Amino acid sequence: MPSIPSPPSFPRRPRVYLAGPDVFFRDCASIFRALKAECERLGMVGLAPSDAGIDEGFDGTDDSRAQRIYEGNIRLIREADGVVANLVPFRGHEPDSGTVFEVGFAVALGKPVVGYGVAEGSYAQRVCATVACVSDGEGVLREADSGVMVEGLGQRLNLMLTRSTVLVPSARDALARLAEMLGQRASMRGTTGVWPGDAIAGNV
């Protein structure tokens, strides 16, 4: 009698890298506790940015400390199944540059990224609310003083971010959306045994 094949098994819960400038905030520990708790509620594991095990007794140089933190976070992103990114404006109109790097790195690895913290309306509208802007003779929006073009196209952020990620209002929304996306990917993996993007990320 032929044996009945077992359904595909998933030995671990999806892992989510929690990108954002939250590491710089005084209450970062409570922020990450809340994010990890929400991940648990959704059946996922939250991975906060790492200090790579550096403690107060670390006596290396600033460069060696920075390198270890960089390598630790790169490793976490590689290990993650997806990324949730806080893209709130940070010290200006743009998101935190380190977070933007992490988003691009994750996208290049084929991992889904969901962003939050971006105000409604376009990037151009936010710039023009604080910087004098004018349309030139060809209808291109520019800063009045410098003549530098202000990106248009109605995007809420630079198009390289808006076209590579999903944007939702809040962290809770972002985690719920990512859980949904990873669930769809898990269904795809059931037929192949491989997560989409795993070959690129080196996880197979």
Side-chain angles (χ1 to χ4, degrees):
M1 179 176 178
S3 61
I4 299 174
S6 300
S9 61
F10 303 100
R12 60 173 176 76
R13 292 177 293 162
R15 292 165 293 185
V16 180
Y17 183 76
L18 306 170
D22 309 87
V23 293
F24 301 118
F25 301 156
R26 288 185 181 275
D27 58 345
C28 63
S30 62
I31 291 173
F32 285 119
R33 277 197 301 269
L35 290 172
K36 288 182 177 181
E38 186 64 13
C39 286
E40 289 288 331
R41 190 184 72 81
L42 293 167
M44 305 185 296
V45 177
L47 305 174
S50 170
D51 62 3
I54 296 174
D55 57 27
E56 293 181 1
F58 180 77
D59 60 359
T61 65
D62 284 349
D63 277 351
S64 61
R65 181 187 296 268
Q67 185 66 26
R68 284 184 60 175
I69 293 172
Y70 165 77
E71 291 173 354
N73 288 332
I74 288 294
R75 182 171 60 253
L76 287 176
I77 296 170
R78 286 188 181 278
E79 293 173 354
D81 299 298
V83 171
V84 161
N86 184 356
L87 298 176
V88 65
F90 189 67
R91 298 185 179 128
H93 296 293
E94 302 282 355
D96 167 54
S97 58
T99 303
V100 171
F101 170 85
E102 292 174 338
V103 167
F105 185 68
V107 170
L109 293 176
K111 300 177 187 291
V113 180
V114 182
Y116 65 95
V118 183
E120 294 294 332
S122 71
Y123 173 76
Q125 288 172 331
R126 292 196 299 278
V127 171
C128 291
T130 58
V131 178
C133 298
V134 295
S135 293
D136 64 16
E138 298 178 349
V140 176
L141 188 63
R142 297 185 180 277
E143 294 180 14
D145 291 338
S146 67
V148 174
M149 183 181 74
V150 179
E151 183 177 349
L153 304 177
Q155 304 298 293
R156 291 167 63 188
L157 290 171
N158 181 282
L159 67 88
M160 298 302 287
L161 285 172
T162 61
R163 308 326 301 173
S164 62
T165 65
V166 176
L167 297 181
V168 297
S170 69
R172 176 169 288 185
D173 293 330
L175 289 169
R177 182 63 179 275
L178 186 60
E180 178 185 349
M181 295 167 72
L182 291 175
Q184 294 170 351
R185 288 191 165 206
S187 297
M188 294 171 63
R189 188 184 190 188
T191 63
T192 65
V194 177
W195 287 95
D198 272 359
I200 300 174
N203 294 334
V204 296

